[in-house]
Amino acid sequence: MLQLKNITITHKKDLRELVKDFSFVLNPGDKAVIIGEEGNGKSTLLKLIYQEALIGEYAEYTGEIQRGGNCIGYLAQELDSSQKEKQVLAYFNDVPGFFDKTPKELGEIARLLGLRQDFFYEDRKVETLSGGEKVKLQLAGILMQQPDILLLDEPSNDLDAKTLEWLETFLQDCPLPLIYVSHDEMLIEKTANVVIHLEQIRRKTLARHTVARMGYQKYIGERLETFERQEQLAKKERSEYAKQMDRFMRVQQKVEHQQNIITRQDPHGGRLLKKKMHSVKSMERRFHRQFEQMKEFPETETAVFAKFSDEISIPRSKIVLDFTLEKLTVPMEGGNKENSGAEKQCISSSGKNEIGNVHAPKKRILSENIHLCVQGPEKVVIIGKNGIGKTTLLRKIAKELLGRKDLNAAYMPQNYEELLDFTKTPVEFLQKDYSKEEYSRIRTYLGSMKYTADEMEHGIGELSGGQKAKLLFLKMSMDQNDVLVLDEPTRNFSPLSNPVIRQLLKHFGGAIISISHDRKYIQQVCNKVYCLTEQGLALQD
């Protein structure tokens, strides 16, 4: 059994409480999901439960964690740099229990995860794996250790449709109690039986949490019903109070008026009025107490995003993209390593070797005969199995669109570090002319998106994944981009934020070319779905 008692987590830099007086018991059979807006401490809480040292650099905590001697398996949101540098075999060599597994047992783990039988012995570097393969790599290492409890930070990130279905089944059938963070609403709806909701209300000055032992849809439904009842009751009480105050004010004004016209020749009338005024003052105090005891309007943390301008539009007849690629390739691991460093000098743009005695590094073909045409304000999504080259293809598409003069395109990569300088602050990233007016406007925009004053001055590297994504969306809004090239646009947003961003993208007046495994994004935003296969792009029904 895992038990948390009165846990309070405080951010060291701005002294903001991320979690306050949180108590929770993880029981057998519990499948608990942690939800909340970006930057509310979901991953921090998960790290703390696993190992206090993981949050030591940026946060401190009070309270008690009782792990009961259980073996806890933890899947991190990101692999660290040293792990990425290793070959796959070297990664598993460091996993406790790897050498104790029989080929049959390893084969069973590979089958469960949809991996090849020889995956564990590959010499590919971990950093060259696709996002989905990296998640499967970590899950395989965890399963080899036979844990008693699972902690999973974004296990659904970058998984293809087939693996997402596996993950749903795995979580549903898993006999182990688990706590996980996920942004995939469909996964949460199908798997969670406990909801842990972390909130930051009153402009992120007050941490609040809710633990509900029920499914996600039921929790959201009951939460909305409770808030609606509370709001209706608050409105009713205030309406009644206003009517009573109106009657009281009329009585008070009448008494004050009579006081003004009473003369000293009528002392008896003066005493009666004094008595009446005392009664009026007593009534006023009673009304003030009544106001203080009234139901408050529900305090909720709402998801806020930058709004794209209604003026953005692309004519329906305009060809946004007419892209053809004969072969989609990546360098083959274990190829000609001696000459790999000379590739840029020796290989022409056509891909032909220009120097006869120097061999080009070997290439692995991912897909062939790719053609994609996007016309007008289409919302296109590319799906496909992990490792097929979707991100590699999208980078090539982005490179072509970013060079166009007749379009104002923007690219949002899966790895935000490709665009964001993590040492800069959010304000510095968005600034162009460095004027006082621009500085003030940017802070206003960031404030409307729930960044605190401290977060605006933090280095971008200190922000959560969702806050970094918000920053990129804000830049696209400010730059008035009419073509968005998005690699997994919803992957770091909470299940509470995702409905908002789906609506923004659905009503965006320009064109969108994206990669996604988010089933609700695909259903609600995209009007064309292509599947990338070894034979090219296939339009889905």
Side-chain angles (χ1 to χ4, degrees):
M1 184 176 69
L2 173 71
Q3 187 169 3
L4 284 71
K5 295 182 177 180
N6 305 115
I7 298 295
T8 295
I9 304 174
T10 306
H11 197 287
K12 286 182 177 180
K13 191 167 184 178
D14 55 26
L15 302 180
R16 179 166 61 93
E17 289 181 336
L18 301 174
V19 179
K20 184 175 182 180
D21 292 331
F22 176 71
S23 296
F24 177 71
V25 177
L26 184 69
N27 296 316
D30 281 353
K31 303 179 198 312
V33 63
I34 305 176
I35 65 170
E37 292 300 320
E38 296 72 35
N40 281 8
K42 302 183 295 295
S43 294
T44 298
L45 178 59
L46 212 61
K47 289 176 183 177
L48 174 64
I49 295 171
Y50 177 63
Q51 193 177 96
E52 293 91 332
L54 293 180
I55 70 166
E57 286 188 6
Y58 66 92
E60 56 190 9
Y61 85 100
T62 59
E64 185 180 352
I65 304 173
Q66 296 179 357
R67 298 181 179 87
N70 288 300
C71 175
I72 299 178
Y74 171 67
L75 184 144
Q77 193 174 127
E78 294 285 346
L79 290 159
D80 63 43
S81 56
S82 64
Q83 291 173 318
K84 291 178 182 177
E85 284 294 316
K86 293 178 181 177
Q87 294 179 325
V88 172
L89 176 58
Y91 176 90
F92 285 113
N93 283 343
D94 293 336
V95 173
F98 173 63
F99 291 107
D100 298 328
K101 296 296 178 187
T102 65
K104 183 179 179 181
E105 289 171 327
L106 290 176
E108 179 61 19
I109 292 173
R111 186 190 66 79
L112 283 171
L113 294 170
L115 295 168
R116 296 185 306 278
Q117 293 278 355
D118 61 349
F119 177 79
F120 308 115
Y121 304 99
E122 289 191 8
D123 62 358
R124 280 193 292 164
K125 279 191 173 182
V126 170
E127 65 181 353
T128 67
L129 301 178
S130 70
E133 287 174 319
K134 289 172 185 173
V135 172
K136 294 177 183 179
L137 175 98
Q138 294 180 81
L139 282 171
I142 290 170
L143 293 176
M144 289 175 191
Q145 298 173 61
Q146 298 181 310
D148 303 305
I149 294 170
L150 292 179
L151 305 178
L152 310 175
D153 196 353
E154 290 295 346
S156 56
N157 265 5
D158 308 318
L159 297 185
D160 57 33
K162 185 177 179 181
T163 312
L164 270 173
E165 290 174 4
W166 167 83
L167 182 61
E168 286 175 359
T169 303
F170 173 78
L171 294 180
Q172 288 167 349
D173 298 342
C174 181
L176 305 176
L178 58 94
I179 307 174
Y180 67 98
V181 176
S182 179
H183 296 153
D184 190 307
E185 291 168 77
M186 202 170 288
L187 177 77
I188 294 171
E189 289 168 3
K190 292 183 177 181
T191 59
N193 58 21
V194 181
V195 177
I196 300 170
H197 188 177
L198 304 183
E199 296 180 89
Q200 295 278 315
I201 58 176
R202 298 180 190 172
R203 299 188 65 83
K204 290 193 173 183
T205 61
L206 179 64
R208 181 174 74 182
H209 66 268
T210 304
V211 177
R213 293 192 171 274
M214 61 183 69
Y216 178 71
Q217 285 182 314
K218 185 178 180 182
Y219 167 69
I220 293 298
E222 291 192 1
R223 172 184 166 88
L224 289 175
E225 287 178 7
T226 300
F227 283 167
E228 284 174 4
R229 285 197 303 270
Q230 186 177 337
E231 185 173 6
Q232 288 171 1
L233 184 57
K235 285 180 178 178
K236 184 178 179 181
E237 287 184 349
R238 280 159 177 75
S239 176
E240 290 296 323
Y241 175 78
K243 291 176 183 176
Q244 291 176 349
M245 281 298 294
D246 184 57
R247 288 194 294 268
F248 163 74
M249 291 301 293
R250 286 200 298 269
V251 171
Q252 186 181 46
Q253 288 169 3
K254 184 178 179 180
V255 172
E256 288 176 347
H257 176 70
Q258 288 175 341
Q259 267 190 325
N260 291 333
I261 62 175
I262 289 292
T263 62
R264 293 181 182 178
Q265 286 78 19
D266 187 9
H268 177 68
R271 284 194 297 272
L272 288 175
L273 281 174
K274 189 176 181 181
K275 211 173 199 182
K276 203 167 186 179
M277 180 56 76
H278 180 76
S279 176
V280 167
K281 291 294 183 184
S282 177
M283 187 186 302
E284 184 178 22
R285 289 192 292 271
R286 188 169 69 252
F287 281 148
H288 281 306
R289 287 195 298 271
Q290 182 182 337
F291 180 78
E292 292 170 358
Q293 294 170 4
M294 272 195 279
K295 287 281 185 185
E296 294 290 338
F297 281 100
E299 290 183 289
T300 60
E301 184 184 30
T302 54
V304 179
F305 291 91
K307 186 178 183 298
F308 292 106
S309 171
D310 294 332
E311 296 178 2
I312 294 174
S313 65
I314 289 182
R316 293 189 176 277
S317 60
K318 184 175 180 62
I319 300 299
V320 173
L321 180 72
D322 191 359
F323 179 86
T324 300
L325 186 66
E326 185 180 340
K327 292 181 180 179
L328 180 66
T329 62
V330 292
M332 185 180 291
E333 280 291 317
N336 189 343
K337 294 183 180 179
E338 289 183 8
N339 298 319
S340 61
E343 181 182 1
K344 290 184 181 178
Q345 297 177 352
C346 301
I347 307 301
S348 71
S349 60
S350 64
K352 294 179 180 178
N353 191 344
E354 294 182 337
I355 302 176
N357 60 351
V358 179
H359 296 289
K362 293 180 180 179
K363 298 282 187 176
R364 181 162 62 95
I365 298 174
L366 301 175
S367 181
E368 298 181 273
N369 303 317
I370 295 171
H371 180 247
L372 178 63
C373 183
V374 179
Q375 184 173 332
E378 289 185 331
K379 310 292 189 293
V380 172
V381 65
I382 299 171
I383 63 172
K385 65 183 181 182
N386 290 131
I388 193 64
K390 298 185 296 296
T391 291
T392 303
L393 174 61
L394 199 70
R395 284 199 186 104
K396 292 180 180 294
I397 291 171
K399 184 177 181 181
E400 179 169 318
L401 287 169
L402 291 172
R404 293 266 294 273
K405 301 297 183 184
D406 59 326
L407 297 170
N408 184 15
Y411 173 50
M412 179 179 178
Q414 191 178 123
N415 178 11
Y416 302 147
E417 204 164 354
E418 291 179 30
L419 287 185
L420 297 174
D421 181 346
F422 282 9
T423 64
K424 286 186 175 182
T425 68
V427 174
E428 289 170 339
F429 171 72
L430 295 170
Q431 280 181 314
K432 288 183 178 179
D433 60 26
Y434 297 93
S435 65
K436 289 183 179 179
E437 293 79 8
E438 182 191 55
Y439 177 81
S440 178
R441 184 170 67 254
I442 288 171
R443 287 184 65 91
T444 300
Y445 287 153
L446 290 170
S448 71
M449 295 177 72
K450 299 297 183 69
Y451 285 82
T452 65
D454 289 319
E455 287 169 341
M456 295 178 199
E457 302 302 331
H458 283 180
I460 292 172
E462 298 178 43
L463 302 176
S464 70
Q467 288 173 308
K468 292 169 187 170
K470 276 185 177 180
L471 199 56
L472 293 174
F473 271 100
L474 179 54
K475 180 170 176 57
M476 288 186 280
S477 172
M478 293 175 65
D479 290 348
Q480 297 282 291
N481 297 117
D482 54 13
V483 178
L484 307 181
V485 185
L486 310 173
D487 196 345
E488 294 286 355
T490 62
R491 70 192 295 265
N492 281 309
F493 290 120
S494 76
L496 301 167
S497 296
N498 265 324
V500 179
I501 197 166
R502 287 198 300 269
Q503 285 301 306
L504 285 175
L505 293 176
K506 180 179 179 179
H507 298 293
F508 174 65
I512 297 175
I513 303 169
S514 60
I515 293 171
S516 184
H517 298 126
D518 182 339
R519 290 159 288 183
K520 291 200 172 186
Y521 168 82
I522 294 169
Q523 292 169 5
Q524 297 176 18
V525 177
C526 305
N527 49 34
K528 279 195 177 178
V529 180
Y530 290 91
C531 182
L532 181 62
T533 70
E534 288 83 353
Q535 291 76 41
L537 285 170
L539 183 62
Q540 305 292 288
D541 294 332

